[in-house]
Amino acid sequence: MTAATEYTLAELCIVAAAEAFRDDGEKLATGIGVIPRLGASLAMKTFNPDLMMTDSEAFMLSEPNPLGNRGDDFVQANETWMGFSRIFDNVWSGKRHAMLGPTQIDRFGQTNTSALGGTYQQPKVMMLGARGFPGNSICHRNSFFVPSHNDRVFVDGECDFVSSIGYNPARLPKGHSLDDVSIHRVITNLCVMDFGGPDHQLRLLSLHPGVQVEEVLDNTGFAVHVPEDVPVTAAPTGEQLAIIAALDPHNQRAYQIKDNPPGMRG
Amino acid sequence: MDKRISAAEAVAQISDGMTVGIGGWGPRRKPMALVREILRSDLKDLTIVAYGGADVGMLCASGKVKKVIFAFVSLDFIPLEPYFRQARQSGAIEVMEVDEGMMLLGLRAAAWGVPFIPTQVGLGTDILTHNPDLKVIDSPYDDKEWVAMPALKLDVALIHADRADARGVCQIEGPDHYLDDWIARAADKTIVSCEELVESSYFQDPARARQVFWERSITDAVVEIPGGAHPTSCNPQYGFDVPHFKAYNASAKEGGFAAYSEQFLGANEAEYQERVGGLDAIRAIPLPVY
């Protein structure tokens, strides 16, 4: 299995996203958005077949659905009814790993999906709301995907609204430990990170081909822990690219990162 | 007992200031015809509890709402609900923002007649900061603190089902009944609109009886309104109306909700359906693919 030489940045991120699900075992993998969903699907199709996945509606599948229109002859591989109410039973049991794209992420790994600026009574920009982030963040493992790594996402100071619990000692609930929080991977268009630095600091794990450390530091609104040895993010293999293409026959992945750049910077 | 009434009679049972729970999820199986009947009424100062979509946006835009209890308000393929957004950004409404699961627990507490249900969900987040009424309590059984999610007691629940009989046996045929059973159970009065009124014998088939998620004693009124979920979906009967939602979303930028209402709302549901192309057109809207 040799690394491909021609692949897009989106495909590189899909493979990095898949890696995040590698050691999950038998958990519900929820990838919200094209790249996280393809990452989870690729992991399930290759090195972690024990993963569970839904059809984004009400059924759990034994095989991930390809994205978009699948034709009239397609039969999806239902294995369990999994309506929205039942999702909460799964969330609260902890047997889930979600990968989502919050609007803001701060140095504690707290995220914001709710509102920006202004006051809480009258925000400047109202977004989705807290959705399931509070529950996800305290009940099970989470990863984040950020298609445009910049300091408006990775903010200086705390998020305008904290939708999910992170590694903030000032907000630690009584009887809980910061180690109970599990933010597994943060994947961006520049790099892969986790919160494994000193005192749960955001830590650089790998740089995408051609990206320099400085670019990551310059585009993050707070300090990032940089280990002595930072490898290059693993390129997709030809086999992985073929599986990704089959999972995404309408090439929705081409529209997820601005201008759909190649994975290897020119 | 015959629970059949008209949409106007249903909405006449709602009073100013009431707390109204609305079934469905985002752009899916919302009791939109009943919502439209509220838009045509003089009702005001409502508190809305919903997994919100255009139901919440329209009610906010027409000045019916004092407070929204929500975890999200979204049209899904259009992530941000334009009129809910306007209401928030102008500071026009009070809110209680909670996690999706906390809302479920609040509805369950109301349904079960308990004042709260303990949960760890919400700890460490601004859900607590911005809801000073949400209490964090000690447990008699461990050393942790827990959020005491209060009962979300509803005066009225509005739900759209596929079929119902006159006695209030309601079928949800689609793949998911969402949290509609808990919204129904949390309410003093549950009003269900349906695509089709059927004879009670319809439910003799055990597969159909399994698609009934609350017992008829929970249902107070049944209103037959074919196409009544439009522009939201009523899977498997029809999908959500993407062009209509796009026009609705665009109206927030140009013309405003007054222009949208002028164009579509009409004096009653028959007029509305005529203006959106008729029942056959609604029934022909394809289901979404994810």
Side-chain angles (χ1 to χ4, degrees):
Chain A
M1 289 204 287
T2 50
T5 50
E6 280 195 30
Y7 53 90
T8 65
L9 182 56
E11 288 161 342
L12 181 81
C13 289
I14 290 163
V15 171
E19 283 297 329
F21 294 97
R22 182 182 280 274
D23 69 351
D24 280 331
E26 209 161 36
K27 280 188 186 157
L28 173 61
T30 303
I32 303 288
V34 168
I35 286 177
R37 176 171 157 189
L38 286 171
S41 300
L42 176 63
M44 188 174 175
K45 292 285 278 184
T46 55
F47 43 70
N48 188 357
D50 292 337
L51 283 174
M52 304 190 291
M53 196 167 302
T54 73
D55 64 351
S56 307
E57 286 218 274
F59 290 95
M60 198 171 264
L61 307 173
S62 55
E63 275 282 310
N65 273 348
L67 271 66
N69 205 319
R70 297 179 278 273
D72 293 339
D73 298 336
F74 180 79
V75 179
Q76 76 174 27
N78 295 332
E79 65 177 24
T80 313
W81 180 79
M82 199 69 192
F84 288 172
S85 57
R86 192 157 158 185
I87 290 285
F88 298 113
D89 295 325
N90 165 267
V91 168
W92 299 333
S93 79
K95 294 188 187 303
R96 185 183 192 222
H97 180 179
M99 184 181 287
L100 316 113
T103 304
Q104 291 183 325
I105 302 172
D106 66 23
R107 68 184 187 280
F108 303 114
Q110 301 173 141
T111 69
N112 180 10
T113 57
S114 186
L116 296 174
T119 62
Y120 184 66
Q121 174 55 30
Q122 188 173 356
K124 189 155 178 287
V125 179
M126 182 66 202
M127 302 186 295
L128 281 175
R131 287 222 74 146
F133 275 65
N136 294 352
S137 62
I138 203 161
C139 294
H140 60 66
R141 178 179 273 188
N142 293 276
S143 292
F144 305 130
F145 173 67
V146 177
S148 177
H149 188 140
N150 62 57
D151 57 11
R152 294 183 307 282
V153 177
F154 293 98
V155 293
D156 184 19
E158 270 194 290
C159 291
D160 294 0
F161 181 96
V162 174
S163 305
S164 65
I165 189 170
Y167 302 104
N168 183 354
R171 288 177 184 261
L172 183 66
K174 189 171 80 178
H176 287 247
S177 155
L178 289 180
D179 296 330
D180 296 342
V181 176
S182 178
I183 302 172
H184 189 58
R185 289 289 180 274
V186 183
I187 296 159
T188 79
N189 59 323
L190 299 181
C191 61
V192 178
M193 301 176 286
D194 70 2
F195 279 87
D199 298 323
H200 300 287
Q201 192 183 9
L202 186 62
R203 171 176 71 173
L204 192 55
L205 288 182
S206 70
L207 288 162
H208 297 342
V211 177
Q212 304 302 313
V213 172
E214 288 67 33
E215 189 175 354
V216 173
L217 302 184
D218 290 348
N219 285 286
T220 308
F222 51 86
V224 180
H225 179 71
V226 183
E228 216 162 285
D229 185 28
V230 180
V232 174
T233 307
T237 65
E239 185 202 2
Q240 286 176 321
L241 289 179
I243 294 169
I244 292 167
L247 287 165
D248 181 26
H250 307 293
N251 201 20
Q252 292 186 29
R253 62 194 180 283
Y255 303 93
Q256 304 307 312
I257 298 177
K258 193 176 181 297
D259 302 330
N260 193 30
M264 197 92 74
R265 280 197 186 180
Chain B
M1 206 185 303
D2 187 346
K3 297 175 179 171
R4 290 174 297 174
I5 58 173
S6 71
E9 286 167 337
V11 167
Q13 299 189 16
I14 308 173
S15 310
D16 291 351
M18 276 189 170
T19 298
V20 179
I22 302 178
W25 181 286
R28 301 173 175 94
R29 209 167 36 69
K30 289 283 180 180
M32 294 306 294
L34 295 176
V35 168
R36 281 187 284 274
E37 202 57 34
I38 295 178
L39 300 181
R40 296 183 193 107
S41 77
D42 296 328
L43 281 171
K44 59 179 193 308
D45 294 334
L46 301 176
T47 291
I48 304 297
V49 180
Y51 293 92
D55 49 335
V56 173
M58 289 183 187
L59 289 167
C60 286
S62 58
K64 302 295 181 194
V65 176
K66 177 167 177 259
K67 181 176 181 180
V68 179
I69 300 178
F70 75 105
F72 64 84
V73 181
S74 173
L75 305 176
D76 262 29
F77 76 100
I78 300 170
L80 306 180
E81 213 297 336
Y83 288 105
F84 177 68
R85 207 174 177 189
Q86 282 185 1
R88 285 286 283 133
Q89 291 173 192
S90 63
I93 51 168
E94 295 172 30
V95 291
M96 177 185 188
E97 182 171 358
V98 294
D99 167 272
E100 293 166 359
M102 290 173 84
M103 187 178 288
L104 169 57
L105 294 177
L107 295 168
R108 277 189 185 157
W112 292 339
V114 297
F116 66 89
I117 294 178
T119 176
Q120 60 181 338
V121 176
L123 291 173
T125 72
D126 278 335
I127 293 294
L128 297 181
T129 320
H130 293 299
N131 286 307
D133 293 342
L134 271 185
K135 304 295 184 203
V136 173
I137 58 168
D138 288 334
S139 162
Y141 304 111
D142 64 29
D143 297 326
K144 291 182 174 179
E145 61 183 3
W146 298 84
V147 174
M149 179 62 206
L152 294 174
K153 193 78 198 138
L154 309 175
D155 295 307
V156 177
L158 304 178
I159 290 165
H160 189 72
D162 293 83
R163 293 174 192 82
D165 72 5
R167 298 198 303 166
V169 179
C170 302
Q171 177 209 31
I172 294 170
E173 189 185 4
D176 200 343
H177 56 285
Y178 312 120
L179 291 308
D180 287 9
D181 46 345
W182 295 107
I183 290 173
R185 290 180 193 282
D188 287 338
K189 184 170 287 190
T190 294
I191 299 168
V192 177
S193 58
C194 63
E195 291 290 318
E196 183 188 1
L197 262 171
V198 292
E199 295 297 325
S200 296
S201 59
Y202 176 87
F203 296 102
Q204 286 170 5
D205 176 346
R208 290 171 177 172
R210 282 209 64 156
Q211 295 172 329
V212 176
F213 297 95
W214 60 91
E215 50 284 11
R216 61 181 150 78
S217 59
I218 301 293
T219 307
D220 295 275
V222 174
V223 190
E224 187 183 31
I225 316 176
H230 183 272
T232 71
S233 61
C234 188
N235 188 341
Q237 323 243 16
Y238 48 90
F240 50 77
D241 190 336
V242 170
H244 187 94
F245 273 131
K246 284 183 175 165
Y248 168 75
N249 189 48
S251 75
K253 290 211 170 66
E254 205 174 318
F257 192 68
Y260 172 87
S261 299
E262 179 67 29
Q263 190 180 350
F264 293 111
L265 188 58
N268 52 47
E269 193 61 10
E271 268 191 38
Y272 171 81
Q273 290 197 353
E274 196 183 304
R275 292 172 181 201
V276 299
L279 182 59
D280 289 346
I282 293 172
R283 287 263 163 87
I285 298 170
L287 297 172
V289 177
Y290 294 98

